[in-house]
Amino acid sequence: MRKTYIDIAKGIGILLVILGHMNRFFSYEGRLNQIVYSVQLPVFLIIGGYWMRLKAGESPLAFAAGKFYRLMQPYFLFAFFSIIYAWPKDAGEFGYYVAGALWGIGICDYLPNLPIWFLTMFFVANLWFYLVLLAGKLGRKWRQSAALESLGTVLLIYAGWRIKLREVRLPWGFELAMIMQGFFLAGHFWRLAEEQLKRSPVPEKKKKAALLTLALPAFFIWLVCVRWNGRVDINAAWFGNKGLWSFYLAALCGSYLVILLSAV
């Protein structure tokens, strides 16, 4: 079931992505870039986690096939036409672009259309979080499930970070997809909390007032972390000057503000 405020949040995210790639109008190292890059992709990852759930009767293979069709089919289509548009000057450059499209990461000009790197990483991230949700099913109560899902997410982030520290870039953003699992978990918990709030006897006005009250500290944390952390670039596996914790704080708080704005 579609939700209007989530569609609005995705629309804001799309506008931020477009703005983030209009580098002819502002500096790559500039403040506007820092602001935009702090939330433009985390918003999509959180929304991805919001919608992810295990469906009765769906096998892991069917889940992977569905995600492949929705994400990787357009990836290879855009990669193909991007190579044609780039019009490689010789067989060597053509082979370089083809190999880059298969490797699926947006660095070193492997892709003539760099933004499509997100599709490969997002596909792998969905598969990782599917495993996290499977681990959560082992819990008998919701607290046990939440604990198992949190533990699985932390382990994936840690493993991805260890790979990143070796300065190794794996195909299809394999290690980035692991590091980004915290956003999927945030979206998943957001949906569970939303469902719980709907069943709560607390009046709607008080619920909205509580959410709005959190906006001020969220804005302050986001602003401070963006200022301290400087430029971030998920594609380049660069999470700012202060490290992953500051990147996550800024991204989560900034995404909360975007989603809250969408729901107003």
Side-chain angles (χ1 to χ4, degrees):
M1 183 180 70
R2 297 186 65 171
K3 296 188 177 181
T4 302
Y5 82 97
I6 293 181
D7 287 341
I8 294 172
K10 287 194 290 187
I12 294 174
I14 291 170
L15 291 176
L16 290 174
V17 169
I18 294 172
L19 182 61
H21 289 86
M22 295 173 65
N23 53 6
R24 69 176 63 184
F25 298 108
F26 61 92
S27 169
Y28 182 67
E29 300 287 346
R31 291 180 182 177
L32 183 59
N33 186 292
Q34 295 175 22
I35 292 171
V36 170
Y37 274 54
S38 68
V39 295
Q40 64 169 358
L41 295 186
V43 165
F44 289 106
L45 298 170
I46 290 172
I47 292 174
Y50 180 94
W51 287 120
M52 265 202 70
R53 60 195 71 191
L54 300 178
K55 296 179 181 178
E58 183 182 54
S59 68
L61 183 60
F63 173 83
K67 290 297 180 182
F68 188 92
Y69 178 80
R70 292 185 62 184
L71 296 171
M72 297 309 300
Q73 181 174 271
Y75 168 79
F76 284 116
L77 183 66
F78 279 111
F80 172 74
F81 283 110
S82 296
I83 292 173
I84 293 177
Y85 179 78
W87 202 257
K89 59 186 178 183
D90 52 38
E93 188 173 65
F94 176 78
Y96 183 82
Y97 282 151
V98 170
L102 294 175
W103 197 256
I105 58 176
I107 62 171
C108 301
D109 293 328
Y110 287 140
L111 299 170
N113 185 3
L114 292 181
I116 62 174
W117 72 269
F118 180 75
L119 293 174
T120 55
M121 189 278 290
F122 192 56
F123 170 71
V124 176
N126 273 271
L127 300 186
W128 279 125
F129 196 65
Y130 185 85
L131 296 179
V132 169
L133 294 181
L134 284 179
K137 283 189 67 177
L138 299 175
R140 296 182 179 179
K141 298 180 179 180
W142 72 267
R143 288 187 179 86
Q144 294 173 339
S145 295
L148 288 171
E149 289 164 355
S150 300
L151 177 61
T153 299
V154 169
L155 291 176
L156 283 172
I157 293 173
Y158 177 77
W161 185 254
R162 295 298 299 179
I163 295 172
K164 185 263 181 190
L165 291 179
R166 294 178 177 270
E167 298 185 358
V168 174
R169 296 304 306 271
L170 300 178
W172 293 18
F174 186 88
E175 75 287 359
L176 291 181
M178 300 170 80
I179 296 172
M180 296 297 107
Q181 288 302 296
F183 297 118
F184 274 81
L185 185 69
H188 173 61
F189 283 167
W190 160 31
R191 177 176 59 82
L192 296 179
E194 186 179 67
E195 292 173 353
Q196 186 66 29
L197 278 174
K198 284 183 178 180
R199 295 190 293 266
S200 172
V202 178
E204 286 297 321
K205 287 185 178 180
K206 289 189 176 181
K207 294 177 184 177
K208 291 180 179 179
L211 293 174
L212 287 171
T213 302
L214 295 174
L216 186 59
F219 176 77
F220 177 77
I221 294 172
W222 169 75
L223 191 63
V224 170
C225 288
V226 169
R227 181 69 181 86
W228 282 352
N229 217 26
R231 178 183 63 82
V232 300
D233 191 339
I234 297 175
N235 173 40
W238 175 251
F239 301 101
N241 302 319
K242 299 296 180 179
L244 197 59
W245 69 270
S246 183
F247 162 76
Y248 254 102
L249 270 179
L252 289 173
C253 290
S255 298
Y256 176 79
L257 294 172
V258 169
I259 293 167
L260 187 63
L261 178 64
S262 304
V264 173

